Amino acid sequence: MPPPRARPSKRPVWIIVLIAFFCAILIGAYVYPSNKPYKSCYYFFSSDKCNGWPPPTPARVYTDEEIASRVVIKDILSSSAVQSKNPKIAFMFLTPGSLPLEKLWEKFFQGHEDRYTLYVHASREKTVHTSSLFIGRDIRSEKVVWGTISMVDAEKRLLANALQDPDNQHFVLLSDSCVPLHNFDYVYQFLLGTNISFIDCFEDPGPHGNGRYSEHMLPEVEKKDWRKGAQWFTVKRQHAVLILTDTLYYNKFKHHCKPGTEGKNCYADEHYLPTLFNMVDPKGIANWSVTHVDWSEGKWHPKAYRAVDVTFELLKNISSIDQSIHVTSNAHKQVQQRPCLWNGMKRPCYLFARKFYPESLDNLMNLFSNFTVF
Ligand SMILES: *[C@@H]1O[C@H](CO)[C@@H](O)[C@H](O)[C@H]1NC(C)=O
Ligand SMILES: *[C@@H]1O[C@H](CO)[C@@H](O)[C@H](O)[C@H]1NC(C)=O
Ligand SMILES: *[C@@H]1O[C@H](CO)[C@@H](O)[C@H](O)[C@H]1NC(C)=O
Ligand SMILES: *[C@@H]1O[C@H](CO)[C@@H](O)[C@H](O)[C@H]1NC(C)=O
């Protein structure tokens, strides 16, 4: 005879387990509601297929200024570019005074008069031009204090002046120590043959990157959005307009990213545009700058080339680099290396290079036609 009480004694356990299981599902569906509860919330079984998990963080209530800013930026980004019949590139020189390498630039521009415009912002001294191409191209300038927002203001002043010419479709920011690495046609095709802006942008977890972030920038700028990048950008027209439109994020940087606040040195020109574009149009920027600079010596300033350094080999070396390199400022000194992709194709990264001493002018002039054959 089987023991008569054996089966009934198992039933309540079985029922309790079943009831507990359904209760758990019901509680789950209640605590983490989803639009499609039956399809999506069996997260006991399939964790990654459940749309209701993790629960969405509640959206912030935006201020009037933020709503306005978001809608304007969205509208600028979705507007299609006005096609000019005669597209030009605006070359904008941000310099303390005269351009020591002006003769080299003259060589670069000569013969392409209908395809470029020049703008010079001399922030310290009145310029003396050695090339007729530059005469009359100075814009009204203001003093620039290194590392402060006045640097960004000067960039915006150049953009505003250059945007006045509707033919200008791409805008290149250059310094007095920059040189071209290719001929004009190459640069023109490179910049106008793609849809993106060449804004340097990377995440640096170290003290010279995320360490400069200030929580005073909340709620509009979160730490996860914070980026760093070299100042020397090129931007398409749409992005140039966007930069001039933005006051919301600009003001955050103006007040909370400057040298010597909260015991840290934040430089707006190294963080404002990378962070802004990382937030509003990350796919619209290349994440590297087309202006090469050599930080490999690990000093406070990048390598600057003297006359003796300027050889055919040096210029060939720089113009054949096809990987962009970013090094983090933490103890790991982590190297982030990525191929430079232009419309999805691997290409050499750089169109320009810095920093070249004025004394290197003669060597550069002699070499120019040799190294810019492409
Ligand atoms: C530029 O963007 C448009 C869409 O906005 C796209 O159709 C076009 O192919 C892009 N051109 C290049 C050169 O990538
Ligand atoms: C630049 O980086 C962002 C992510 O930070 C990425 O979404 C974007 O596709 C990158 N741009 C290009 C052209 O690869
Ligand atoms: C050029 O690159 C080669 C190979 O990387 C290197 O050995 C050489 O020192 C470089 N020359 C100059 C002048 O930078
Ligand atoms: C430029 O190239 C030509 C031909 O390859 C060569 O004869 C000349 O010496 C080069 N000039 C310089 C300054 O390297």
Side-chain angles (χ1 to χ4, degrees):
M1 284 271 288
R5 299 180 67 84
R7 280 182 77 90
S9 78
K10 284 215 175 126
R11 184 171 284 154
V13 175
W14 182 85
I15 287 169
I16 287 166
V17 167
L18 200 67
I19 288 170
F21 179 75
F22 279 108
C23 283
I25 289 182
L26 283 175
I27 291 168
Y30 177 74
V31 175
Y32 304 116
S34 143
N35 295 334
K36 295 177 247 160
Y38 296 108
K39 221 174 146 188
S40 58
C41 264
Y42 293 108
Y43 40 82
F44 298 100
F45 301 119
S46 61
S47 54
D48 54 346
K49 284 279 184 290
C50 180
N51 300 331
W53 180 265
T57 42
R60 241 173 352 99
V61 176
Y62 297 130
T63 60
D64 288 350
E65 200 191 356
E66 217 174 347
I67 294 172
S69 170
R70 282 169 172 260
V71 76
V72 170
I73 288 177
K74 206 169 152 205
D75 222 61
I76 292 171
L77 291 174
S78 60
S79 63
S80 50
V82 181
Q83 287 306 313
S84 155
K85 282 210 183 66
N86 180 27
K88 293 180 186 171
I89 295 179
F91 290 85
M92 311 180 301
F93 289 87
L94 182 54
T95 167
S98 296
L99 294 165
L101 306 174
E102 199 172 289
K103 278 274 170 218
L104 179 71
W105 285 103
E106 177 179 49
K107 227 171 165 154
F108 171 81
F109 289 123
Q110 226 151 35
H112 307 283
E113 273 63 33
D114 51 344
R115 292 191 289 162
Y116 69 85
T117 47
L118 299 177
Y119 303 87
V120 179
H121 183 289
S123 53
R124 208 184 297 151
E125 300 152 10
K126 206 169 148 30
T127 52
V128 179
H129 291 297
T130 50
S131 159
S132 61
L133 302 182
F134 283 80
I135 288 172
R137 304 309 305 173
D138 294 87
I139 66 164
R140 190 194 64 79
S141 66
E142 276 184 32
K143 211 175 128 201
V144 170
V145 179
W146 187 74
T148 69
I149 201 74
S150 59
M151 187 74 98
V152 175
D153 292 339
E155 294 172 2
K156 291 175 76 163
R157 198 170 293 123
L158 278 162
L159 285 173
N161 276 271
L163 276 164
Q164 289 175 340
D165 184 338
D167 286 335
N168 285 336
Q169 298 296 308
H170 207 99
F171 303 77
V172 180
L173 183 69
L174 295 161
S175 81
D176 51 317
S177 73
C178 285
V179 304
L181 291 172
H182 292 276
N183 64 35
F184 184 88
D185 284 320
Y186 183 99
V187 170
Y188 186 87
Q189 303 293 343
F190 192 103
L191 294 177
L192 291 187
T194 184
N195 266 340
I196 58 172
S197 294
F198 293 89
I199 296 178
D200 192 27
C201 180
F202 78 111
E203 193 172 1
D204 176 2
H208 299 159
N210 290 358
R212 294 173 178 171
Y213 172 76
S214 159
E215 289 193 343
H216 286 115
M217 294 198 176
L218 287 170
E220 291 91 345
V221 183
E222 295 177 44
K223 191 161 187 177
K224 69 173 171 55
D225 301 322
W226 190 253
R227 291 293 183 280
K228 178 176 172 162
Q231 171 188 12
W232 309 101
F233 62 72
T234 84
V235 289
K236 57 179 179 176
R237 191 169 176 100
Q238 203 182 38
H239 284 168
V241 173
L242 196 157
I243 292 168
L244 290 192
T245 312
D246 173 50
T247 52
L248 175 70
Y249 301 106
Y250 167 85
N251 278 321
K252 288 270 157 175
F253 281 81
K254 178 174 180 171
H255 297 302
H256 306 298
C257 176
K258 42 190 175 185
T261 46
E262 300 169 45
K264 48 195 163 197
N265 289 320
C266 187
Y267 306 111
D269 59 88
E270 288 185 3
H271 296 279
Y272 168 54
L273 294 181
T275 304
L276 175 68
F277 280 93
N278 175 53
M279 291 171 70
V280 303
D281 193 16
K283 291 206 160 30
I285 60 169
N287 300 317
W288 91 84
S289 162
V290 289
T291 299
H292 178 267
V293 71
D294 183 356
W295 283 104
S296 66
E297 291 180 339
K299 297 195 186 137
W300 193 242
H301 289 289
K303 182 164 173 57
Y305 305 103
R306 299 219 161 262
V308 288
D309 301 322
V310 176
T311 58
F312 184 81
E313 195 191 353
L314 173 78
L315 298 165
K316 265 280 156 285
N317 271 10
I318 297 174
S319 53
S320 63
I321 297 169
D322 58 6
Q323 305 258 330
S324 82
I325 293 180
H326 289 120
V327 184
T328 64
S329 63
N330 52 6
H332 300 301
K333 296 259 174 285
Q334 204 187 334
V335 178
Q336 307 171 357
Q337 198 161 329
R338 293 213 177 80
C340 291
L341 298 178
W342 183 89
N343 289 343
M345 283 176 287
K346 193 165 173 176
R347 275 186 83 162
C349 310
Y350 302 112
L351 303 178
F352 314 105
R354 54 192 279 270
K355 308 178 77 165
F356 289 77
Y357 279 106
E359 63 173 51
S360 63
L361 179 64
D362 288 345
N363 277 6
L364 288 162
M365 295 284 284
N366 289 336
L367 288 166
F368 184 77
S369 12
N370 278 25
F371 70 82
T372 61
V373 281
F374 306 111

